[in-house]
Amino acid sequence: MTQTMASSSTQEVAAELLRRPAFVMVSHVKPDGDTLGAGLALGIALKRLGKRVHYFQQDPVPRNLRFLPDTEFVTRDIPGDLPPDTLYVFCDMSDFSRAGEFLPKVERENMLDIDHHLGNSHFGKFNFVLDTECSTGTVVMHLFRELKIEIDRDLATCILTTIMTDTGGFMHSNTTPAVLELSAELMRIGADKEQITEEIFANRRVAATRLLGSVIDAMVFGHEGRYCYSYVDDPMLARTDADGEDTEDVVNTLRGQEGVEVAALFKAIEGEIRVSLRSNGRVNVQAAAATLGGGGHFRASGLTFHGTLADAFVAVDAALTAQGL
Ligand code: AMP
Ligand code: MN
Ligand code: MN
């Protein structure tokens, strides 16, 4: 068992960023606008400070995030000639295993963990974890203020994307007055809210809508209507001409049904079962996911299940029941 490191102060992390010559920004598997937007924002700012920056992401950049600046440089390769004191910056993940198995081994000494998840494992030498922030992008803003980085249009676009992703377009309960004030400021600087809305929320592929139809057909209700779950599998994707990226938003539709307090979407895709959980705020789905090796936030969490889909239904129901569903 490795020892949990303490939290790092804003000043300490800022000083470390200035001290290091080179960086690899690391985002999590099945990337979203927060992990990628936060890493791109910090990477772009570091380049402006004269640093060498690479972006590592195991999965390709999702179609709906390709509008973000610098995404053309995101790869699953790590250059062979990086200096030994290169700092690997993990954005938006409660553990480094969320970066995927393609990331080569990194010494803890060279890990910076920037995050806002509950129960972050403090896996880095430096851990800048603010779990009251709405997104990892707004955690990065603390570093920008400390380093007196001038926020331009590109940085504003990345940060507003992290906010809109993790607040569900300003709908979730993490949308505080401060979040709205910061968002207004980012829009004034030139972040295009219209474009972000269009790319991330409005511009739905027809295949995704067909897939949603199949998921809705397969909905099951339990716990006197307080629980709704459904699934996606490979045949369903093939039938609707959809792919894994088209499943991202689907669980929110299940959660949005009248009377539903908790929703689960089971994604049995390419030999893996990933489960997305959402809560209306009464049941802690982060705690439920954690008992099955996953994590996340009070109202939004996820896990990977090892076993059959039928076993996954039973295990997740039991984990949610234990949390008071
Ligand atoms: P998702 O349902 O994939 O949108 O994920 C919802 C939240 O749960 C996000 O904050 C994720 O970071 C977190 N999460 C999803 N899958 C996992 C996992 N396997 N382990 C830990 N956290 C996860
Ligand atoms: Mn994320
Ligand atoms: Mn996030």
Side-chain angles (χ1 to χ4, degrees):
M1 188 74 189
T2 45
Q3 199 194 338
T4 297
M5 295 284 183
S7 296
S8 317
S9 69
T10 315
Q11 294 77 7
E12 193 184 347
V13 176
E16 196 60 26
L17 294 175
L18 294 177
R19 202 175 72 73
R20 301 273 184 152
F23 298 83
V24 176
M25 316 304 301
V26 183
S27 36
H28 63 66
V29 292
K30 310 284 174 206
D32 54 36
D34 189 25
T35 190
L36 188 56
L40 292 169
L42 187 53
I44 291 167
L46 287 167
K47 283 203 264 184
R48 274 206 228 129
L49 296 175
K51 308 290 185 178
R52 182 170 169 193
V53 174
H54 290 273
Y55 302 102
F56 171 89
Q57 181 174 274
Q58 178 161 318
D59 295 328
V61 176
R63 288 179 290 271
N64 63 0
L65 295 174
R66 290 190 191 147
F67 72 98
L68 289 172
D70 260 14
T71 46
E72 66 271 30
F73 304 123
V74 177
T75 72
R76 61 159 61 165
D77 304 318
I78 304 273
D81 63 341
L82 288 171
D85 56 348
T86 296
L87 189 65
Y88 287 70
V89 185
F90 296 77
C91 288
D92 195 43
M93 52 194 111
S94 42
D95 192 74
F96 67 86
S97 59
R98 296 267 297 141
E101 64 271 22
F102 277 77
L103 183 72
K105 184 170 165 37
V106 180
E107 294 300 324
R108 189 172 196 166
E109 197 59 28
N110 293 327
M111 285 189 184
L112 164 60
D113 155 25
I114 304 183
D115 189 29
H116 68 134
H117 286 92
L118 292 173
N120 178 290
S121 67
H122 283 207
F123 55 88
K125 166 82 186 293
F126 307 94
N127 299 285
F128 194 50
V129 181
L130 304 175
D131 64 16
T132 54
E133 288 292 337
C134 75
S135 72
T136 300
T138 62
V139 179
V140 166
M141 280 299 298
H142 288 252
L143 299 172
F144 285 173
R145 288 186 200 107
E146 179 68 23
L147 291 164
K148 305 204 163 38
I149 301 284
E150 193 196 327
I151 309 296
D152 66 2
R153 191 194 174 101
D154 277 356
L155 296 187
T157 298
C158 290
I159 301 292
L160 188 59
T161 297
T162 74
I163 294 173
M164 290 178 64
T165 300
D166 276 21
T167 62
F170 304 115
M171 287 207 290
H172 301 335
S173 61
N174 55 359
T175 313
T176 60
V179 166
L180 292 173
E181 278 155 6
L182 172 60
S183 301
E185 187 51 32
L186 295 170
M187 283 177 73
R188 276 189 206 104
I189 293 166
D192 189 343
K193 176 179 168 296
E194 278 297 299
Q195 185 193 21
I196 300 170
T197 306
E198 191 61 26
E199 297 281 357
I200 298 187
F201 299 103
N203 201 2
R204 181 181 275 284
R205 299 206 310 156
V206 176
T209 305
R210 273 197 213 102
L211 177 69
L212 179 62
S214 299
V215 172
I216 290 171
D217 278 342
M219 276 190 310
V220 178
F221 290 85
H223 295 260
E224 285 100 36
R226 296 191 305 277
Y227 178 45
C228 174
Y229 72 91
S230 188
Y231 70 96
V232 174
D233 60 9
D234 293 313
M236 208 187 259
L237 290 179
R239 219 165 45 235
T240 55
D241 204 20
D243 63 27
E245 283 179 32
D246 297 313
T247 65
E248 280 310 305
D249 190 40
V250 170
V251 66
N252 297 314
T253 300
L254 307 182
R255 220 305 285 140
Q257 300 308 300
E258 193 176 13
V260 171
E261 295 185 347
V262 175
L265 181 68
F266 296 78
K267 296 175 266 192
I269 301 173
E270 291 169 3
E272 216 178 34
I273 301 180
R274 288 171 179 273
V275 187
S276 288
L277 299 174
R278 297 292 184 271
S279 165
N280 72 342
R282 190 179 68 79
V283 174
N284 181 352
V285 292
Q286 185 270 338
T291 64
L292 296 170
H297 308 278
F298 195 101
R299 291 171 183 243
S301 70
L303 61 109
T304 302
F305 187 83
H306 304 281
T308 66
L309 194 51
D311 287 345
F313 293 156
V314 173
V316 169
D317 192 313
L320 291 168
T321 303
Q323 294 305 317
L325 175 63

